[in-house]
Amino acid sequence: MLEILENNWLLFLVGQYPHGPLGGLTMTLFMAATALALCFPFAIALALARLSPYRWLRLPATAIVHTVRGLPLIMFIFWTYFVSPLVIGRAVGGVETLVIALVVYEAAYLSEIIRAGIEGLPAGQVEAAKSLGLRYWPTTFKVVLPQALHNMLPSMVSQFVSTIKETSLGYVISAHEVTFAASQVNNVLLTQPFEVYGILALTYFVLCFALTSLARFIERRTSSGRGGAPGVIVAA
Amino acid sequence: MIRFENVDKWFGPMQALAGVSGEVGRGEVKVLVGPSGSGKSTLIRTVTRLETIQGGRVLVDGTDVGSRGVDINRLRQRVGFVFQAYNLFPHLSAIGNITLGLTKLRGMGKAEARERGLAELARVGLAEKADEMPGRLSGGQRQRVAIARSLAMDPQVMLFDEPTSALDPEMVGEVLAAMKQLATSGMTMICVTHEMGFAREVADEIWFMEGGAVIERGKPAELTGTSAHSRLQAFLASTSHGGSAA
């Protein structure tokens, strides 16, 4: 196992780069981070629409979220892969395809996290903002979201972990990420699939475990950092 | 200044306010007392439309709070509201809580807003806590910051919803002192509170509420004097601590 790692660690880490496209673990992280960053504004918009008092905003947003959450990610990958060439008139690479599919998919999940974060705030926060005379947007961006996002940081790290694991599906459309790199190694060695995919599993595990631990650490800090929740009465 | 005209409010099948009428003149201090669930908080919350009403009207300076055309956010800037749970923004420092409204609504620059905020904090005796986060302040200090936050908007009326009920007893005094100072400066105020000492000292009138209606109103001396046989007196006697805290 060590020998495989010794001979192929660079392929696992960056793919064929610099002699070919960037890949490996670097690409896995890049795609997960990019997808999450790009889906963020959509997720906020979906969450706000879901909480809107207006039906014409609430219903479509709810429909989108439920539809996306009711379908497997690989459907989105296939649809993006086969439909986008028809739409833009040229072939789209695996990486772009995967990122687009992930943005759509993760936006739905992240929006639910954001919605929960907003609904979890004490009602008094919005009432206090209203009482000052603040309108919807300043209330949302200066009072509600900063607190909701702060409280949600651990959940967002967990979402990042899920996204990292989901990028492995990029293998089916030849996106050059770490699972693809592992399969390349396996194709060369042919006889040691258990070891090769063992290395792959270990790579995912170490990365994801580290991030989950980080999430737990943030969670502990956020609950103590502001001295509890001053907006809430503990004993009245 | 503020007029309630036959105000009805329902929470589902439960009637929270039943035909409440009354008037609060400019510079007057009214204290609302009554058992919990009697509609005191609900009544003052109707003034800034934190609660909508189903019948009657609430007028602020002649403007019908419930009418469609009214710019409710503008009206709210003129009516300060202090909550039982303080409701400070925990992600902003004490001064940040105060300057938010000034920069977003009054179009003040950062420096100007900070100066104004510091002046308001000084008024409630907390200038040196300007950059503390709310989580590091005591309950009494938080409530005083909340009062300063409302005052910074130059309100014409201040509404207090049981501002000392969530506080430890030793902190009640500092908040009441800030409120008394405000009352003597001529601010129009409606206070929901059970602090009868405060009521006797500064209230022009006490409204005693029960079952969503004001069932008794009068000067503090008339209602709480030793010879008075008021419903309020009976209520205070029934609460074990004789009206010091609720």
Side-chain angles (χ1 to χ4, degrees), chain B residues 134-146:
Chain B
R136 300 180 57 88
L137 297 175
S138 74
Q141 290 170 337
R142 286 181 205 172
Q143 193 60 295
R144 285 188 282 155
V145 172

Side-chain angles (χ1 to χ4, degrees), chain A residues 10 14-22:
Chain A
L10 201 61
V14 294
Q16 289 149 345
Y17 191 80
H19 308 295
L22 184 67

Side-chain angles (χ1 to χ4, degrees), chain B:
Chain B
M1 184 83 218
I2 297 178
R3 247 172 99 93
F4 300 99
E5 294 179 352
N6 278 314
V7 175
D8 286 321
K9 163 80 189 173
W10 296 80
F11 288 114
M14 209 272 287
Q15 186 161 19
L17 295 173
V20 176
S21 293
E23 189 154 5
V24 183
R26 196 173 294 277
E28 279 188 321
V29 178
K30 304 274 180 186
V31 167
L32 270 54
V33 188
S36 60
S38 60
K40 317 173 294 275
S41 296
T42 309
L43 184 64
I44 62 169
R45 287 166 62 87
T46 63
V47 177
T48 57
R49 214 200 276 166
L50 287 177
E51 302 290 351
T52 54
I53 58 176
Q54 279 78 51
R57 292 201 302 172
V58 179
L59 302 165
V60 175
D61 252 350
T63 311
D64 184 348
V65 174
S67 75
R68 273 178 166 273
V70 67
D71 182 348
I72 192 68
N73 293 304
R74 182 150 291 233
L75 186 138
R76 281 169 177 161
Q77 291 180 40
R78 294 191 286 133
V79 182
F81 201 107
V82 175
F83 299 86
Q84 180 180 3
Y86 336 122
N87 295 350
L88 289 183
F89 307 129
H91 60 299
L92 300 175
S93 63
I95 189 87
N97 265 274
I98 299 174
T99 54
L100 180 63
L102 296 174
T103 51
K104 291 284 147 195
L105 297 167
R106 290 291 146 83
M108 282 190 191
K110 276 201 175 137
E112 191 188 354
R114 188 176 166 88
E115 199 175 314
R116 177 65 203 270
L118 285 173
E120 291 302 339
L121 280 175
R123 219 161 123 180
V124 295
L126 287 173
E128 79 283 5
K129 299 283 185 189
D131 294 303
E132 286 288 2
M133 299 305 278
R136 300 180 57 88
L137 297 175
S138 74
Q141 290 170 337
R142 286 181 205 172
Q143 193 60 295
R144 285 188 282 155
V145 172
I147 292 172
R149 175 173 70 178
S150 289
L151 290 177
M153 302 305 288
D154 280 324
Q156 292 160 324
V157 187
M158 285 287 284
L159 308 174
F160 292 85
D161 188 2
E162 305 209 26
T164 57
S165 300
L167 296 175
D168 291 333
E170 71 268 23
M171 292 168 186
V172 170
E174 59 190 76
V175 172
L176 289 180
M179 290 169 66
K180 280 177 197 162
Q181 189 196 345
L182 195 58
T184 46
S185 76
M187 176 66 76
T188 310
M189 291 163 66
I190 308 181
C191 311
V192 175
T193 181
H194 295 286
E195 297 292 342
M196 295 316 295
F198 170 81
R200 276 184 212 108
E201 207 169 317
V202 300
D204 294 293
E205 198 174 51
I206 296 177
W207 292 3
F208 182 66
M209 290 188 72
E210 201 169 75
V214 179
I215 59 168
E216 194 172 74
R217 53 189 103 199
K219 295 203 179 305
E222 295 164 16
L223 296 185
T224 66
T226 41
S227 60
H229 291 283
S230 60
R231 297 289 291 271
L232 172 64
Q233 194 81 308
F235 168 71
L236 292 176
S238 72
T239 59
S240 54
H241 11 276
S244 65

Side-chain angles (χ1 to χ4, degrees), chain A residues 36 43 47 69 106-120 148-149 151-160:
Chain A
L36 211 58
R69 298 208 326 156
E106 294 304 325
Y109 280 89
L110 198 59
S111 79
E112 289 293 273
I113 295 176
I114 296 174
R115 184 171 71 100
I118 293 175
E119 286 185 318
L149 297 181
N151 297 343
M152 285 161 29
L153 261 177
S155 312
M156 286 202 286
V157 176
S158 303
Q159 197 58 32
F160 185 55

Side-chain angles (χ1 to χ4, degrees), chain A residues 66-85:
Chain A
H66 282 299
T67 308
V68 173
R69 298 208 326 156
L71 293 170
L73 173 59
I74 198 142
M75 293 296 131
F76 289 93
I77 295 176
F78 284 143
W79 277 332
T80 315
Y81 194 64
F82 294 118
V83 171
S84 45

